Amino acid sequence: MDRQEQYRNRAEQVLLHTYSRFPVVIERGQGVYLYDTEGRAYLDFGAGIAVSALGYGDADYEKALVSQIGKVIHTSNLYYHIPGIEAGEKFLKASGMDRVFFTNSGAEAVEGAIKAARKYGKKKYGQERYEVIAMEHSFHGRTIGALSVTGNEKYQEPFRPLMGGVRFAAFNDLDSVKKAVSEKTCGIIVETIQGEGGIYPASQEFLEGLKELCVQEDILLIFDEIQCGMGRTGTMFAWQGYGVKPDIMTSAKALGCGVPVGAFAMTEKTAAFSLEAGDHGTTYGGNPFACAAVSKVFDRYEQLGILEHVRKVGPYLEARLEELVSQYGCLKERRGTGLMQGVEAAGIPAGEIINRALDQGLLLLSAGNNSIRFVPPLVIETVHIDKMVKILHNCLKELG
Ligand SMILES: *Cc1c(COP(=O)(O)O)cnc(C)c1O
């Protein structure tokens, strides 16, 4: 039994079996590579599920974390602290929102957004205004509230009954949303680009139509930017690329670049009728350590010109993937924006390609609809994209 196998066996003895993990024990990372316990390098096109935007070993980011550890890691939200102020200011500046609440995860950000929308509806229109419209094939997280707005039968089924007052509509189908709207609707939640569902960008008309509908009916438009936000599409938040501003938005994943942190934010107009003192809370959420990470992430994005970089390498990745799709019959379609791309496989399981890529030192993720998902660190360079494509060529040739 080799060393990695021993580690894997130990893991399987203690951890709840909620994941089928890849058979690799990761020990460290540098740049856009991860290394296993045997020193094998893996080119990382998954970034820990779209989290590690700065890659691994960014000295400035690490220095900021260490420095904050030396001061104070946690205070609770009963006191003010400087990292919280700075992270909040930078988040609002980047998003154009007016109020932010930091959470520990994406799911909690979604919970907060749902609560904020319900509070708004009830405070302004009375007890019956509590329904949320969500999209089919969406993903918003695994807690009961977030799961209740996640349009995936497989994820929902074992946990029913879920939170009530949720209606589903078809993504990119405005008429379907309109049919679901009633006097009871307080919010519409939508991923600007569906991630787990298979990398499906919202259409311009859909988001514009939703906005118009929401303004007309005073329904809150909630964009879940947990995966597609933080620069992944070449704007800080994907909705900025559409020019359609939500009333509430969520963030997480790359927000802390690995330190667990999320956020939900809203406009002042929303906040005026929404969560008040005592309505919501968290013990750790937005603690000094998490906020020091967020604050430094925004600094590094600026210093490294991350958005410009994504706008440069994103189209290159897109073009190289298009080339693959045109060459192999087992690849059906490319979808996505910037460094959030998906390629749908046909005739063979996407997982088969992904497993072969792993054997050749390339980390990829799957997504819904039998797709391969490409969400690399945002500091990825064209040479890494070339290398990734070369490995994929090898895998696809093997598969015939
Ligand atoms: C990952 C994800 C979530 C859930 O985030 P967690 O941090 O895993 O709770 C919610 N929404 C979207 C769009 C996501 O991609």
XYZ file of all heavy atoms in Angstrom, residues 176-259:
625
model
N -41.880 32.234 -18.154
C -42.008 31.241 -17.090
C -41.914 31.919 -15.715
O -42.648 31.571 -14.786
C -40.913 30.181 -17.277
O -40.637 29.534 -16.084
N -41.044 32.912 -15.583
C -40.917 33.653 -14.317
C -42.193 34.464 -14.074
O -42.743 34.465 -12.970
C -39.685 34.584 -14.322
C -39.616 35.393 -13.025
C -38.402 33.778 -14.515
N -42.667 35.113 -15.123
C -43.877 35.945 -14.993
C -45.061 35.117 -14.517
O -45.875 35.578 -13.719
C -44.203 36.634 -16.326
C -43.320 37.848 -16.584
C -43.673 38.544 -17.890
C -42.846 39.823 -18.036
N -42.842 40.336 -19.423
N -45.138 33.889 -15.004
C -46.228 32.991 -14.601
C -46.153 32.637 -13.117
O -47.165 32.346 -12.486
C -46.198 31.706 -15.437
C -46.836 31.878 -16.795
C -47.003 30.541 -17.517
C -47.255 30.793 -18.995
N -46.284 30.077 -19.848
N -44.942 32.634 -12.586
C -44.763 32.250 -11.176
C -44.979 33.420 -10.215
O -45.146 33.233 -9.020
C -43.372 31.654 -10.982
N -44.970 34.631 -10.745
C -45.107 35.832 -9.900
C -46.547 35.990 -9.429
O -47.491 35.751 -10.168
C -44.675 37.093 -10.690
C -45.100 38.368 -9.957
C -43.167 37.099 -10.905
N -46.681 36.363 -8.148
C -48.008 36.678 -7.619
C -47.865 37.787 -6.578
O -46.764 38.282 -6.343
C -48.632 35.440 -6.975
O -48.010 35.198 -5.721
N -48.978 38.132 -5.953
C -48.976 39.119 -4.868
C -48.058 38.692 -3.724
O -47.631 39.505 -2.911
C -50.405 39.248 -4.303
C -51.370 39.967 -5.227
C -50.994 41.426 -5.372
O -51.025 42.133 -4.352
O -50.641 41.846 -6.502
N -47.801 37.374 -3.665
C -47.008 36.828 -2.560
C -45.505 36.901 -2.806
O -44.715 36.628 -1.915
C -47.369 35.351 -2.354
C -48.756 35.123 -1.805
C -48.959 33.645 -1.550
C -50.276 33.409 -0.828
N -50.511 31.976 -0.636
N -45.103 37.230 -4.036
C -43.673 37.167 -4.368
C -42.892 38.319 -3.733
O -43.211 39.481 -3.967
C -43.475 37.229 -5.904
O -44.385 36.322 -6.520
C -42.051 36.896 -6.282
N -41.861 37.977 -2.955
C -41.013 39.034 -2.386
C -39.659 39.103 -3.079
O -39.013 40.145 -3.056
C -40.823 38.845 -0.879
S -39.875 37.373 -0.432
N -39.216 38.016 -3.698
C -37.896 38.035 -4.310
C -37.746 37.007 -5.419
O -38.466 36.010 -5.470
N -36.810 37.286 -6.313
C -36.442 36.343 -7.369
C -34.943 36.129 -7.255
O -34.176 37.093 -7.299
C -36.790 36.895 -8.767
C -38.299 37.128 -8.886
C -36.291 35.955 -9.863
C -38.736 37.805 -10.182
N -34.539 34.873 -7.058
C -33.102 34.597 -6.918
C -32.587 33.862 -8.145
O -33.199 32.899 -8.613
C -32.796 33.825 -5.611
C -31.275 33.618 -5.459
C -33.534 32.476 -5.525
C -30.838 33.237 -4.049
N -31.474 34.355 -8.670
C -30.924 33.770 -9.894
C -29.400 33.902 -9.903
O -28.857 34.909 -9.448
C -31.585 34.433 -11.134
C -31.564 35.936 -11.040
C -30.955 33.988 -12.428
N -28.742 32.846 -10.335
C -27.302 32.939 -10.570
C -27.114 33.692 -11.881
O -27.722 33.330 -12.889
C -26.689 31.542 -10.736
C -26.626 30.704 -9.485
C -26.514 29.218 -9.846
O -27.550 28.562 -10.024
O -25.385 28.723 -9.962
N -26.253 34.681 -11.884
C -26.002 35.443 -13.104
C -25.465 34.500 -14.186
O -25.825 34.608 -15.357
C -25.001 36.575 -12.819
O -25.272 37.108 -11.521
C -25.116 37.669 -13.849
N -24.599 33.597 -13.755
C -24.192 32.479 -14.618
C -24.367 31.216 -13.791
O -23.763 31.091 -12.726
C -22.717 32.609 -15.052
C -22.517 33.879 -15.877
C -22.269 31.372 -15.839
C -21.083 34.163 -16.246
N -25.196 30.303 -14.244
C -25.377 29.068 -13.484
C -24.080 28.269 -13.504
O -23.520 28.009 -14.571
C -26.527 28.232 -14.068
C -27.895 28.842 -13.770
C -29.045 27.893 -14.070
O -28.923 26.994 -14.907
N -30.169 28.100 -13.395
N -23.608 27.904 -12.306
C -22.329 27.199 -12.181
C -22.497 25.693 -12.125
O -22.268 24.994 -13.110
N -22.923 25.196 -10.962
C -23.059 23.748 -10.770
C -23.984 23.143 -11.824
O -23.811 21.993 -12.209
C -23.627 23.431 -9.379
C -22.882 24.063 -8.226
C -21.485 23.487 -8.044
O -21.324 22.265 -8.188
O -20.578 24.280 -7.777
N -24.956 23.905 -12.260
C -25.945 23.417 -13.224
C -25.357 23.141 -14.602
O -26.032 22.578 -15.467
N -24.120 23.579 -14.844
C -23.487 23.266 -16.128
C -22.909 24.455 -16.870
O -22.653 24.362 -18.072
N -22.676 25.570 -16.196
C -22.140 26.798 -16.801
C -23.081 27.322 -17.900
O -22.819 27.176 -19.109
C -20.696 26.632 -17.366
C -19.804 25.855 -16.387
C -20.094 27.981 -17.704
C -19.477 26.552 -15.082
N -24.176 27.897 -17.454
C -25.132 28.523 -18.365
C -25.257 30.013 -18.036
O -25.845 30.369 -17.013
C -26.516 27.872 -18.229
C -26.604 26.490 -18.835
C -26.358 25.354 -18.073
C -26.918 26.331 -20.181
C -26.430 24.088 -18.629
C -26.995 25.068 -20.756
C -26.747 23.955 -19.977
O -26.822 22.708 -20.542
N -24.715 30.884 -18.872
C -24.868 32.327 -18.614
C -26.321 32.759 -18.834
O -26.994 32.256 -19.738
C -23.960 32.981 -19.655
C -23.031 31.907 -20.121
C -23.819 30.625 -20.008
N -26.777 33.682 -17.995
C -28.083 34.294 -18.241
C -27.992 35.097 -19.525
O -26.938 35.628 -19.866
C -28.451 35.204 -17.076
N -29.103 35.179 -20.239
C -29.100 36.025 -21.429
C -29.330 37.472 -21.003
O -29.919 37.743 -19.955
C -30.190 35.571 -22.405
O -31.474 35.885 -21.873
N -28.850 38.378 -21.833
C -29.021 39.816 -21.565
C -30.500 40.161 -21.415
O -30.897 40.859 -20.475
C -28.387 40.613 -22.721
C -28.419 42.118 -22.541
C -27.435 42.608 -21.479
O -26.373 42.043 -21.289
N -27.821 43.651 -20.751
N -31.324 39.636 -22.326
C -32.770 39.943 -22.308
C -33.421 39.412 -21.039
O -34.322 40.047 -20.479
C -33.499 39.324 -23.519
C -32.863 39.559 -24.873
C -31.684 38.618 -25.124
O -31.913 37.411 -25.348
O -30.524 39.077 -25.099
N -32.969 38.246 -20.597
C -33.556 37.644 -19.401
C -33.318 38.537 -18.187
O -34.252 38.858 -17.445
C -32.970 36.247 -19.171
C -33.562 35.507 -18.004
C -34.931 35.257 -17.941
C -32.759 35.062 -16.959
C -35.491 34.556 -16.858
C -33.300 34.365 -15.881
C -34.667 34.123 -15.833
N -32.069 38.948 -17.992
C -31.765 39.775 -16.818
C -32.444 41.132 -16.918
O -32.979 41.651 -15.932
C -30.254 39.943 -16.649
C -29.467 38.667 -16.302
C -28.056 39.024 -15.848
C -30.161 37.821 -15.238
N -32.457 41.714 -18.098
C -33.148 43.006 -18.270
C -34.642 42.854 -18.012
O -35.269 43.708 -17.381
C -32.889 43.568 -19.679
C -31.516 44.196 -19.799
C -31.191 44.654 -21.224
O -32.088 44.583 -22.102
O -30.035 45.058 -21.449
N -35.203 41.756 -18.494
C -36.625 41.493 -18.281
C -36.947 41.286 -16.809
O -37.956 41.783 -16.294
N -36.074 40.557 -16.114
C -36.271 40.342 -14.675
C -36.248 41.669 -13.937
O -37.072 41.930 -13.049
C -35.172 39.433 -14.109
C -35.224 37.941 -14.398
C -34.056 37.244 -13.701
C -36.545 37.320 -13.956
N -35.299 42.507 -14.316
C -35.147 43.809 -13.647
C -36.422 44.629 -13.817
O -36.946 45.205 -12.851
C -33.938 44.552 -14.239
C -33.698 45.933 -13.660
C -33.017 45.836 -12.314
C -33.014 47.172 -11.584
N -32.353 47.076 -10.274
N -36.903 44.670 -15.028
C -38.105 45.459 -15.325
C -39.301 44.930 -14.518
O -40.042 45.696 -13.898
C -38.391 45.377 -16.826
C -39.320 46.465 -17.338
C -39.637 46.261 -18.819
O -38.698 45.975 -19.594
O -40.819 46.352 -19.184
N -39.438 43.603 -14.521
C -40.507 42.951 -13.769
C -40.408 43.283 -12.277
O -41.403 43.623 -11.618
C -40.397 41.440 -13.994
C -41.350 40.522 -13.240
C -42.779 40.751 -13.702
C -40.955 39.056 -13.456
N -39.200 43.205 -11.751
C -38.988 43.449 -10.321
C -39.276 44.906 -9.953
O -39.859 45.174 -8.904
C -37.570 43.061 -9.925
S -37.352 41.273 -9.848
N -38.880 45.821 -10.821
C -39.144 47.243 -10.558
C -40.648 47.486 -10.565
O -41.193 48.126 -9.654
C -38.429 48.138 -11.604
C -38.917 49.585 -11.522
C -36.914 48.084 -11.406
N -41.320 46.931 -11.566
C -42.772 47.099 -11.692
C -43.535 46.610 -10.470
O -44.447 47.260 -9.979
C -43.270 46.283 -12.893
C -43.628 47.104 -14.105
C -43.808 46.183 -15.311
O -44.206 45.025 -15.168
N -43.495 46.696 -16.480
N -43.145 45.417 -9.984
C -43.907 44.754 -8.917
C -43.306 44.968 -7.530
O -43.781 44.385 -6.570
C -43.988 43.247 -9.206
C -44.487 42.888 -10.595
C -45.982 43.145 -10.773
O -46.711 43.105 -9.763
O -46.402 43.421 -11.917
N -42.244 45.756 -7.440
C -41.480 45.925 -6.198
C -41.090 44.575 -5.589
O -41.290 44.316 -4.396
C -42.234 46.782 -5.173
C -41.289 47.292 -4.074
O -40.059 47.204 -4.256
O -41.789 47.746 -3.022
N -40.545 43.730 -6.456
C -39.987 42.444 -6.031
C -38.465 42.608 -5.995
O -37.903 43.315 -6.837
C -40.375 41.341 -7.040
C -41.886 41.086 -6.990
C -39.587 40.063 -6.806
C -42.411 40.287 -8.171
N -37.818 42.004 -5.013
C -36.362 42.155 -4.929
C -35.663 41.184 -5.872
O -35.943 39.989 -5.880
C -35.887 41.932 -3.492
C -36.422 42.962 -2.488
C -35.953 42.615 -1.082
C -36.012 44.377 -2.858
N -34.750 41.738 -6.651
C -33.955 40.936 -7.574
C -32.664 40.537 -6.861
O -31.891 41.398 -6.431
C -33.660 41.739 -8.841
C -32.889 41.014 -9.948
C -33.606 39.752 -10.398
C -32.656 41.943 -11.133
N -32.468 39.231 -6.706
C -31.306 38.712 -5.976
C -30.398 37.977 -6.949
O -30.816 37.003 -7.569
C -31.742 37.724 -4.865
C -32.783 38.354 -3.944
C -30.526 37.248 -4.070
C -33.529 37.331 -3.069
N -29.175 38.458 -7.096
C -28.205 37.746 -7.917
C -27.250 36.970 -7.023
O -26.613 37.559 -6.139
C -27.402 38.710 -8.800
C -28.191 39.255 -9.968
C -27.777 40.419 -10.615
C -29.333 38.612 -10.437
C -28.497 40.925 -11.701
C -30.054 39.110 -11.518
C -29.635 40.272 -12.156
N -27.159 35.672 -7.256
C -26.179 34.845 -6.565
C -24.890 34.890 -7.370
O -24.792 34.304 -8.447
C -26.706 33.410 -6.420
C -25.751 32.524 -5.633
O -24.569 32.900 -5.495
O -26.185 31.453 -5.171
N -23.927 35.617 -6.850
C -22.628 35.816 -7.514
C -21.528 35.030 -6.824
O -20.347 35.369 -6.925
C -22.294 37.312 -7.509
C -23.154 38.137 -8.463
C -22.490 38.337 -9.825
O -21.272 38.166 -9.925
O -23.212 38.664 -10.792
N -21.919 33.986 -6.122
C -20.951 33.245 -5.310
C -19.872 32.596 -6.173
O -18.695 32.633 -5.834
C -21.688 32.220 -4.419
C -22.440 32.980 -3.319
C -20.736 31.186 -3.842
C -23.431 32.155 -2.521
N -20.273 32.037 -7.307
C -19.283 31.393 -8.180
C -18.828 32.308 -9.317
O -17.653 32.348 -9.657
C -19.868 30.090 -8.760
C -18.849 29.262 -9.501
C -19.254 27.804 -9.670
O -18.722 27.119 -10.501
N -20.180 27.305 -8.868
N -19.757 33.045 -9.902
C -19.416 33.828 -11.104
C -18.822 35.189 -10.768
O -18.300 35.868 -11.652
C -20.645 33.980 -11.993
S -22.015 34.849 -11.207
N -18.902 35.592 -9.481
C -18.408 36.909 -9.091
C -16.922 36.931 -8.812
O -16.202 35.983 -9.107
N -16.461 38.009 -8.242
C -15.048 38.222 -7.884
C -14.114 38.071 -9.089
O -13.079 37.406 -9.017
C -14.636 37.288 -6.745
C -15.258 37.656 -5.400
S -15.034 39.397 -4.905
C -13.279 39.502 -4.566
N -14.512 38.709 -10.174
C -13.601 38.863 -11.298
C -13.587 37.734 -12.308
O -12.952 37.849 -13.354
N -14.285 36.661 -12.016
C -14.179 35.476 -12.863
C -14.570 35.734 -14.321
O -14.044 35.110 -15.244
C -15.007 34.322 -12.267
C -14.760 32.995 -12.946
C -14.927 31.818 -12.033
N -13.845 31.683 -11.071
C -12.620 31.216 -11.352
N -12.310 30.838 -12.581
N -11.700 31.126 -10.417
N -15.490 36.653 -14.540
C -15.929 36.895 -15.923
C -15.295 38.151 -16.526
O -15.644 38.545 -17.641
C -17.462 37.040 -15.979
O -17.833 38.205 -15.226
C -18.168 35.822 -15.389
N -14.396 38.791 -15.785
C -13.721 39.968 -16.327
C -14.273 41.280 -15.789
O -13.694 42.345 -16.026
N -15.391 41.219 -15.096
C -15.844 42.362 -14.287
C -15.864 41.859 -12.848
O -15.913 40.650 -12.621
C -17.262 42.838 -14.689
O -18.150 41.702 -14.703
C -17.260 43.490 -16.062
N -15.818 42.764 -11.866
C -15.723 42.274 -10.492
C -16.894 41.352 -10.186
O -16.724 40.280 -9.632
C -15.665 43.442 -9.504
C -15.326 42.997 -8.093
S -13.749 42.096 -7.944
C -12.633 43.461 -7.634
N -18.100 41.777 -10.582
C -19.257 40.904 -10.446
C -19.884 40.722 -11.824
O -19.902 41.657 -12.624
C -20.229 41.462 -9.407
C -19.606 41.494 -8.035
C -19.150 42.681 -7.477
C -19.404 40.307 -7.335
C -18.513 42.685 -6.232
C -18.765 40.300 -6.095
C -18.328 41.495 -5.544
N -20.373 39.515 -12.077
C -20.823 39.186 -13.431
C -21.958 40.105 -13.873
O -22.044 40.477 -15.043
C -21.255 37.720 -13.501
N -22.821 40.518 -12.923
C -23.950 41.386 -13.310
C -23.474 42.712 -13.869
O -24.184 43.344 -14.659
C -24.940 41.564 -12.158
C -24.425 42.231 -10.896
C -24.043 41.610 -9.743
C -24.278 43.636 -10.652
N -23.652 42.538 -8.796
C -23.791 43.786 -9.332
C -24.514 44.791 -11.421
C -23.522 45.037 -8.762
C -24.244 46.031 -10.852
C -23.761 46.152 -9.543
N -22.273 43.140 -13.467
C -21.757 44.413 -13.984
C -21.493 44.321 -15.485
O -21.593 45.322 -16.194
C -20.498 44.811 -13.208
C -20.819 45.168 -11.757
C -19.597 45.220 -10.842
O -18.610 44.515 -11.069
N -19.672 46.036 -9.801
N -21.191 43.121 -15.952
C -21.000 42.915 -17.383
C -22.299 43.026 -18.169
O -22.289 43.277 -19.376
N -23.422 42.846 -17.487
C -24.740 42.963 -18.119
C -25.336 44.364 -17.919
O -26.307 44.708 -18.568
C -25.719 41.958 -17.505
C -25.456 40.500 -17.814
C -24.549 39.761 -17.087
C -26.159 39.859 -18.841
C -24.335 38.419 -17.346
C -25.955 38.510 -19.107
C -25.036 37.798 -18.356
O -24.839 36.470 -18.619
N -24.770 45.082 -16.957
C -25.339 46.392 -16.626
C -26.711 46.281 -15.983
O -27.530 47.198 -16.087
N -26.989 45.175 -15.318
C -28.272 44.992 -14.632
C -27.990 44.820 -13.142
O -27.406 43.818 -12.727
C -29.033 43.758 -15.165
C -30.331 43.548 -14.389
C -29.319 43.904 -16.660
N -28.383 45.814 -12.360
C -28.017 45.823 -10.944
C -29.091 45.162 -10.088
O -30.269 45.495 -10.209
C -27.806 47.272 -10.488
C -27.208 47.404 -9.104
C -26.957 48.867 -8.749
C -26.439 48.975 -7.316
N -26.158 50.362 -6.937
N -28.701 44.243 -9.222
C -29.690 43.599 -8.346
C -29.994 44.480 -7.129
O -29.299 45.469 -6.876
C -28.961 42.331 -7.902
C -27.518 42.739 -7.860
C -27.335 43.735 -8.983
N -31.021 44.088 -6.375
C -31.311 44.749 -5.102
C -30.509 44.117 -3.974
O -30.128 44.776 -3.014
C -32.805 44.633 -4.788
C -33.653 45.217 -5.901
O -33.577 46.444 -6.108
O -34.357 44.444 -6.596
N -30.297 42.803 -4.119
C -29.503 42.041 -3.152
C -28.549 41.161 -3.948
O -28.923 40.634 -5.005
C -30.402 41.130 -2.279
C -31.452 41.951 -1.516
C -29.557 40.305 -1.301
C -32.439 41.097 -0.702
N -27.332 40.997 -3.464
C -26.422 40.063 -4.123
C -25.654 39.259 -3.079
O -25.484 39.702 -1.944
C -25.441 40.791 -5.042
C -24.567 41.784 -4.323
S -23.199 42.361 -5.360
C -22.153 40.905 -5.356
N -25.230 38.072 -3.503
C -24.418 37.244 -2.619
C -23.030 37.081 -3.221
O -22.849 37.197 -4.440
C -25.023 35.841 -2.445
O -25.099 35.215 -3.733
C -26.400 35.901 -1.817
N -22.074 36.812 -2.349
C -20.712 36.527 -2.782
C -20.126 35.487 -1.820
O -20.615 35.331 -0.703
C -19.883 37.814 -2.766
O -18.547 37.547 -3.150
N -19.124 34.781 -2.255
C -18.352 33.863 -1.392
C -17.219 33.322 -2.269
O -16.617 34.093 -3.003
C -19.202 32.738 -0.809
N -16.977 32.036 -2.227
C -15.917 31.396 -3.011
C -14.639 32.261 -3.090
O -13.902 32.275 -2.132
C -16.452 30.972 -4.367
C -17.434 29.785 -4.211
C -17.607 28.923 -5.441
C -18.206 27.582 -5.081
N -19.668 27.565 -5.052
N -14.383 32.978 -4.177
C -13.108 33.695 -4.286
C -13.018 34.932 -3.382
O -11.965 35.556 -3.303
C -12.866 34.104 -5.737
N -14.077 35.259 -2.691
C -14.080 36.486 -1.869
C -12.933 36.503 -0.867
O -12.334 37.553 -0.624
C -15.435 36.612 -1.152
C -15.639 37.823 -0.248
C -15.536 39.139 -1.031
C -17.004 37.755 0.453
N -12.626 35.352 -0.274
C -11.514 35.284 0.680
C -10.326 34.541 0.115
O -9.328 34.343 0.795
N -10.438 34.074 -1.137
C -9.378 33.309 -1.808
C -8.892 32.125 -0.973
O -7.707 31.779 -1.003
C -8.231 34.217 -2.221
S -8.597 35.093 -3.743
N -9.787 31.537 -0.208
C -9.435 30.329 0.549
C -9.796 30.446 2.019
O -10.112 29.449 2.660
N -9.735 31.631 2.570
C -10.246 31.831 3.927
C -11.773 31.797 3.819
O -12.340 32.485 2.966
C -9.760 33.171 4.519
C -10.456 33.482 5.833
C -8.253 33.124 4.719
